[in-house]
Amino acid sequence: LFPYTTLFRSVFDAVAAVTAVVDKPVLVMTYWNPVMQYGIEKFASDLKTAGGAGLITPDLIPDEAGDWLAVSEALDLDRVFLATPTSSESRLKRACELSRGFVYSVSTMGITGTRDSVDELAKKVVSGVRATKTNQNTAVGIGISTASQVVDVNSYADGAIVGSAFVRAYQTGGMTALIEKVKELNPNK
């Protein structure tokens, strides 16, 4: 089997399992190359069949997303582009216009992972998204790992994205630890 076939089968199985028990949209975050290798239309169709709502593509810029825009439009899938602290005003506006669901506001430059504090740059990025006047929702991600960070981010953005903290919890304690981490970070508990 092609390497991504097995990987994405697992992803689609996980999406189906999650969407069977939650009533919130479930999006997949992946680099663009595996999607291209798998087949853009096949990926989108399999994601939709699994109950997925869309895709976050950290390395796909709107200017190079023509194929994904067409397929996601045809299948009514969300497409989430990134806004970063270094995004130009025109790049930010384009990301906001072409995203569906929300714009991923990157909190800091660098790699993903938990941090002691969420960079102040996140507020700047969210302000930039708001300044586009596209009425686009935006969620902040990269480095969010504590309940206080979630509350802080939710005070100025439409949502907080947690990734690495969940992965680490699962790696160290399986589903039990992951469930506890989700409960710990839920500001509505």
Side-chain angles (χ1 to χ4, degrees), residues 101-113:
F102 65 95
V103 173
Y104 189 127
S105 289
V106 176
S107 68
T108 188
M109 298 307 290
I111 60 170
T112 61

Side-chain angles (χ1 to χ4, degrees), residues 1-187:
L1 289 177
F2 191 73
Y4 295 117
T5 301
T6 303
L7 170 69
F8 282 134
R9 278 189 191 146
S10 297
V11 169
F12 299 137
D13 288 346
V15 168
V18 171
T19 58
V21 296
V22 300
D23 62 353
K24 302 293 184 210
V26 175
L27 285 84
V28 170
M29 183 173 182
T30 182
Y31 291 113
W32 187 240
N33 188 51
V35 174
M36 288 189 327
Q37 296 299 317
Y38 187 81
I40 299 167
E41 289 182 26
K42 181 171 176 35
F43 178 90
S45 177
D46 290 352
L47 177 62
K48 182 80 172 185
T49 298
L55 185 63
I56 302 169
T57 51
D59 62 337
L60 180 64
I61 61 171
D63 297 345
E64 297 173 0
D67 292 340
W68 176 238
L69 293 171
V71 171
S72 63
E73 190 70 30
L75 292 176
D76 194 31
L77 291 169
D78 286 350
R79 49 188 181 245
V80 177
F81 294 107
L82 272 62
T84 71
T86 60
S87 293
S88 67
E89 190 175 316
S90 61
R91 174 68 53 93
L92 188 62
K93 186 168 178 21
R94 186 108 167 108
C96 291
E97 289 170 344
L98 294 178
S99 288
R100 184 179 347 180
F102 65 95
V103 173
Y104 189 127
S105 289
V106 176
S107 68
T108 188
M109 298 307 290
I111 60 170
T112 61
T114 60
R115 290 174 171 71
D116 292 334
S117 65
V118 177
D119 199 301
E120 282 297 310
L121 290 174
K123 290 180 183 175
K124 178 183 171 211
V125 177
V126 170
S127 292
V129 169
R130 302 269 192 254
T132 67
K133 305 287 189 221
T134 58
N135 294 319
Q136 185 62 264
N137 288 327
T138 186
V140 173
I142 298 188
I144 299 171
S145 60
T146 68
S148 63
Q149 289 170 336
V150 170
V151 169
D152 180 48
V153 165
N154 284 337
S155 73
Y156 61 86
D158 300 303
I161 299 169
V162 179
S164 296
F166 290 155
V167 170
R168 184 173 19 272
Y170 181 77
Q171 286 174 329
T172 59
M175 284 305 293
T176 301
L178 176 58
I179 290 167
E180 287 306 311
K181 189 66 173 176
V182 169
K183 287 178 182 177
E184 172 191 325
L185 297 184
N186 183 355

